[in-house]
Structures are given as structure tokens and as C-alpha cells.
Amino acid sequence: MAYDLLIQGGRVIDPAGSRDAMGDVAISKGRIALVADHIPAASAVRVVDATGLLVLPGLIDLHAHVFRDFTYWGVDPDLIAHNSGVTTWVDAGSAGAMTLSGFRQQVVRRTEARVKAFVNISLIGLVAPEYELSQPSWLDVDMLARALAGNLDFVVGVKVRMASPTVGSTGLLALHRALQAADEHELPLMVHISDAPPDISDVLALLRSGDIVTHCCTGGSMKLVDAAGVPLDATRAALDRGIILDVGHGAGSLNFGSAASLLSAGIMPHVISTDLHQMSLHVGSLVSSDAVDSPVIQLRADGTDDRLDLPLCMSKFLALGAPLTDVVAAATSRPAAALGLGGQIGSLRAGVPADLGLFRLVDGPVSFTDVYGNVCTGDQRLVNVATFIDGRRLADPGSADMAPWVERIPPVASDG
Ligand SMILES: [Zn+2]
């Protein structure tokens, strides 16, 4: 037999290889061996029938928080990967210099999926909900450099959260320090935006080509569009300089109005990501997000809650009118390119590790909500049906993931 596994008869969309056509994918020794219009079933030990399904490169979630058990936000990515199609998780700044080797030992080594990380410019990372940038002594570029030595195999960038609750009274100091660190190590910077101060234009003006603005569809006072929905001059200038826009849905960062304004101005976010964390896992039912240290999750009548994952975020952009191939690129080839890993992950190129997701486009009508409860209706929802890493299908680990500080309450009885 030439191949260990053959995924046959699906619609294969591989933006990195400019492919969108019915076809077959053959896997050998954990790597992609061949993508072609037809590969005979007799050539493989095992055949998966993908008729009616989309066959995509394993998704890359560019913004998630997976430092489980050691930080306020962290979730266990292995509980989510198997039915979301995500094969590479990028942690967005959960670990800082003081916790980076802990992240390596506890997360990178123990997680089934691939894990990369943006290291926080704050030495303490995101162990607590806020204020990680409020102490100038925690913004230590030299200590970060010492911590990075030996960890650059998984560190792909530097993270800084520029917003009023995180910076305290330190203004733009953390951004300057983060840029210094990113320059020294030739890494991209990921900048979180939400509520001013600082002023969004001051932040954008400092960013370099390849730096990433996450929460680009925020409805907060640092939004990238003005009150009339027109992109700011600073936004246009940043895009012209090569700044990358990332969605980072989260519990507070997707506003359909901001997203629609960007899209109608011809600005499709380069990358769609979840910002999955303890509070956003259940964003569909989060009823109290103002008190960040005591979030309350409203259960549905059947006692379950709504989970956020990357296919759901992608579905929301389909509903907003973005084309399917663009939405797939925003979760595969483009995050790979943003990490400098283009052609290594997020691609079905022959020879790369066989990371794939099989998806069904379920016909609607469907309706989605943003984090403010605004509703957007669409025709289709993307649902993952199988996820493969190194050609091996991920199994359901079958346990729940919720921190003791997240409260779940019964549903309110409906009127009728
Ligand atoms: Zn985040």
C-alpha cells in the first residue's frame, strides 16, 4: 500500500496551495503525501469517505489562552481541539518571563495539538485578570531576553494588552518596551486593543509591518472605525504599512457593527481567531461580563451552555458576507504566514505534517450573536466533524473544563 490513510471525495480547500476543488488527500507516515482530483482507494490501508464534507488544513487559532491551571484565563486545548479542527494553538501572552518555562513544561510538552506562544512583555503574564502592565518593574526587557533563551522553538512573538484596565497609569510604556523586545528578537508584536486610554491612533502609529492588532472588531473606545463606521486615518495608514488585523472574538471583542464597517470598507480581517479563555468558552450565554472576576454563565433550558470555537467565529464572518475561501484562509494560511510558518502549518502541501479538519457546512437559516447580543443571520454554519494531527484522528477526551471562579446558574423560566 502506498498510503496509510486516504481522505476521499471531499471539497479540498487549501488557500496556501490555491486549491478549491473536489479531490482526495493521501497521508503517509503522518505527512501529506498527495492531493489530487482522484487517488484510488486501493492505494491506501484506510479510507475515510469525505463525501459532502470540506477538507481543510488543520486550523490555526492565533489567539487563545491555554495556560490551564496556572493563569486566570487558561483553558485545556485538548478538550476543544478534537471537535473544532484546530491543530495549532497560539497562546496570546498568558506566560511572561517568570512563567515561560512553566508554560513549556505544563502546556507545550503535554498538549496533544501543537502549541506556540506570544510571550507577555509583563514578567507575570496573565496570572490575574488585569493590571499586568501597571508596574514598570514588571516590564523588564533584559529579563525577558534571558527567559527567551532556549524557548524560541515555541515563542513566536511578544504580546502586550494596551487598554485602560491593564496599563494602569503607565501609558504607552509597555508598548515601547514590547516593541524593544520584539525588535531585539526579530519577532512580531501582538497588541490587544479595547478601551482607551491609550488612544488608538497613538498605538497604531508605533506598530511595524507584520505586527498584529488583535480585537480588530472591538466595540470599545479603541475601535478602528469612527462613529460613522469609517476606518480611521490611522487604521488605513497602519494597513498600508503591513499591520495584520486579527479578530480575537473573546468575551468582549466582537462587535458586528465594527466588523461590518470594516468589511464594507473593503477591509477583511487577515486572521480570524477565538481568544478562547475561561470566560469566552461560554460566550453565547455569558450574562454578566462587567464583573470580570466573577463571570456568570446562563445555562440553556437543557442544562448545557454554548461553546465558542474557531468554526463558530468563522461562521459569523460567513454570515457577515465574507467569502468561504477568505474565511478559510483567515484560519489557515494567513495565521501561518503571520507567524513566519507559511508552508509548514495551515497548508496541505506534500511533505508537511498531516494536520487536517473535516467540516460540514450546515445549511441554515442560522443566527449568531456578538458579545453585545446583536444578532446577525446567515445561511450556513461551519461544523467540525473530525480533526487529524500527524494523520491521527483526535479522540474526545470527554471531561469538562471550567475554573472554580466561573459560576454556572440555571436558566430563567421563559414566559411562554
Ligand atoms: Zn486574549
Side-chain angles (χ1 to χ4, degrees):
M1 295 285 185
Y3 309 117
D4 302 320
L5 175 66
L6 178 62
I7 297 172
Q8 214 174 29
R11 176 179 169 190
V12 181
I13 305 179
D14 177 23
S18 302
R19 184 183 179 101
D20 177 7
M22 304 303 291
D24 303 340
V25 180
I27 291 152
S28 185
K29 296 187 173 63
R31 293 182 177 269
I32 303 290
L34 179 66
V35 179
D37 293 346
H38 180 69
I39 303 171
S43 64
V45 176
R46 207 156 57 83
V47 178
V48 170
D49 180 7
T51 305
L53 302 179
L54 303 182
V55 181
L56 309 182
L59 305 183
I60 300 164
D61 196 339
L62 190 70
H63 184 157
H65 294 276
V66 295
F67 200 178
R68 58 184 180 270
D69 303 328
F70 292 86
T71 61
Y72 175 80
W73 307 95
V75 298
D76 183 345
D78 282 343
L79 302 181
I80 304 155
H82 67 96
N83 61 6
S84 69
V86 175
T87 54
T88 301
W89 298 93
V90 185
D91 187 278
S94 299
M98 286 178 173
T99 52
L100 198 57
S101 35
F103 185 86
R104 177 188 205 90
Q105 302 298 335
Q106 301 300 327
V107 182
V108 178
R109 282 191 173 179
R110 295 183 180 195
T111 301
E112 198 167 17
R114 296 173 212 290
V115 176
K116 304 288 182 185
F118 285 83
V119 64
N120 206 301
I121 187 60
S122 169
L123 300 182
I124 65 168
L126 299 178
V127 67
E130 295 178 334
Y131 299 114
E132 76 273 10
L133 308 176
S134 61
Q135 300 295 324
S137 63
W138 293 346
L139 312 174
D140 187 330
V141 175
D142 293 334
M143 198 194 295
L144 179 57
R146 293 199 294 279
L148 276 176
N151 287 315
L152 284 167
D153 51 337
F154 70 91
V155 173
V156 289
V158 178
K159 174 79 187 288
V160 64
R161 295 199 302 171
M162 295 308 292
S164 56
T166 52
V167 300
S169 58
T170 59
L172 291 173
L173 178 65
L175 180 55
H176 286 292
R177 296 271 171 91
L179 282 163
Q180 186 188 338
D183 265 339
E184 275 179 20
H185 303 282
E186 296 182 7
L187 293 170
L189 179 65
M190 178 186 275
V191 182
H192 151 125
I193 58 170
S194 53
D195 286 303
D199 187 87
I200 183 63
S201 298
D202 294 342
V203 171
L204 291 173
L206 291 169
L207 304 185
R208 314 157 305 163
S209 177
D211 287 340
I212 300 159
V213 172
T214 191
H215 308 316
C216 67
C217 300
T218 179
S221 51
M222 295 176 79
K223 52 174 175 285
L224 298 178
V225 294
D226 66 16
V230 177
L232 305 175
D233 291 345
T235 302
R236 290 282 186 196
L239 287 168
D240 289 346
R241 276 205 318 285
I243 274 78
I244 293 165
L245 301 185
D246 169 49
V247 171
H249 183 304
S253 302
L254 177 64
N255 177 273
F256 281 149
S258 298
S261 294
L262 288 173
L263 288 170
S264 66
I267 301 170
M268 167 72 186
H270 302 88
V271 179
I272 299 174
S273 65
T274 58
D275 189 15
L276 262 183
H277 52 66
Q278 282 289 336
M279 268 45 77
S280 66
L281 262 178
H282 316 279
V283 71
S285 48
L286 191 73
V287 292
S288 164
S289 59
D290 49 337
V292 74
D293 16 72
S294 57
V296 177
I297 309 299
Q298 184 95 60
L299 301 180
R300 287 190 300 229
D302 64 359
T304 63
D305 51 35
D306 294 313
R307 288 218 154 187
L308 178 72
D309 63 14
L310 192 47
L312 176 60
C313 295
M314 295 163 76
S315 301
K316 292 183 183 187
F317 278 83
L318 291 177
L320 287 163
L324 176 63
T325 47
D326 239 9
V327 166
V328 172
T332 56
S333 55
R334 290 206 212 111
L339 298 172
L341 297 173
Q344 298 175 50
I345 53 173
S347 147
L348 297 177
R349 189 170 58 84
V352 302
D355 295 357
L356 301 105
L358 304 190
F359 294 84
R360 192 180 302 283
L361 261 182
V362 179
D363 287 325
V366 284
S367 72
F368 302 105
T369 53
D370 66 9
V371 302
Y372 299 90
N374 300 313
V375 175
C376 175
T377 56
D379 302 323
Q380 290 179 311
R381 176 168 176 163
L382 188 64
V383 175
N384 178 253
V385 295
T387 304
F388 297 82
I389 293 180
D390 293 329
R392 196 172 29 82
R393 183 168 177 186
L394 299 186
D396 181 356
S399 53
D401 181 30
M402 195 171 294
W405 49 87
V406 182
E407 185 188 359
R408 298 169 101 212
I409 61 170
V412 178
S414 75
D415 293 328

